[in-house]
Amino acid sequence: MGMKSKIVLGAVVGLVVIGAVSANGGDGGTGSADKGASASADKQPGGAKDAGADTGAGEGQGADAADKAEETEQKVSQAEQFKAFVQKNGTDQEKEAVSHVTKVQGADDQNDILDTADVYTDFTGGIMGEGTGPAKLIASAFADWKQSANGLVTVYDADGELLGNGQF
């Protein structure tokens, strides 16, 4: 056998071995016995699922209160949160510019690696329209509202055309 044939044969054998190991390594050596055991535990009256239902009523009420508080917080849109912040902390020019904001996306999901947020307004005309100046104010106010190590906010007009952007 030639050198090329040995290399190809070695690569094929290596791929077969890797495939066999990965196929057998997925179940952790437990097989399907665990699936049956967990299913039977769910069906039994004293199984793990029923044990959680017997906890005290006080704990359940605390969880319900937390869920209601979370729902109330989620009912207020990101745009409304942003507008409320600017009304409290912004300049008169920022307040005027932010009054045109209709929607904010991506402000709540931040990981400080690559954060992006989109702010939509009711301005028209794109980059040549009336919203270019206020877009800079909106981006600046957004940077005051949210901070990120590497964030970019983009401001759009009513038709989805770019008006401006800035770092936050």
Side-chain angles (χ1 to χ4, degrees), residues 31-120:
S32 63
D34 281 348
K35 293 177 186 172
S38 64
S40 64
D42 291 342
K43 294 177 186 174
Q44 293 178 358
K49 295 279 183 184
D50 291 339
D54 293 337
T55 59
E59 292 177 26
Q61 291 174 351
D64 290 340
D67 289 342
K68 288 180 183 177
E70 186 176 321
E71 287 176 12
T72 304
E73 186 177 305
Q74 289 178 353
K75 286 181 183 177
V76 178
S77 70
Q78 293 177 27
E80 294 301 320
Q81 293 173 13
F82 178 45
K83 286 179 177 181
F85 174 82
V86 173
Q87 284 300 318
K88 183 177 178 184
N89 302 309
T91 65
D92 290 337
Q93 293 87 0
E94 287 175 338
K95 290 175 186 177
E96 169 59 30
V98 170
S99 69
H100 293 275
V101 170
T102 58
K103 183 178 182 181
V104 176
Q105 287 182 316
D108 58 348
D109 299 327
Q110 293 186 355
N111 59 12
D112 285 339
I113 296 173
L114 181 59
D115 297 325
T116 58
D118 298 323
V119 177
Y120 296 91

Side-chain angles (χ1 to χ4, degrees), residues 4 6 8 11 20 24 28 48 58 67 95 108 115 133 135 141 146 152 166:
K4 291 182 182 178
K6 288 181 182 180
V8 171
N24 289 333
D67 289 342
K95 290 175 186 177
D108 58 348
D115 297 325
K146 295 287 183 175
L152 178 70

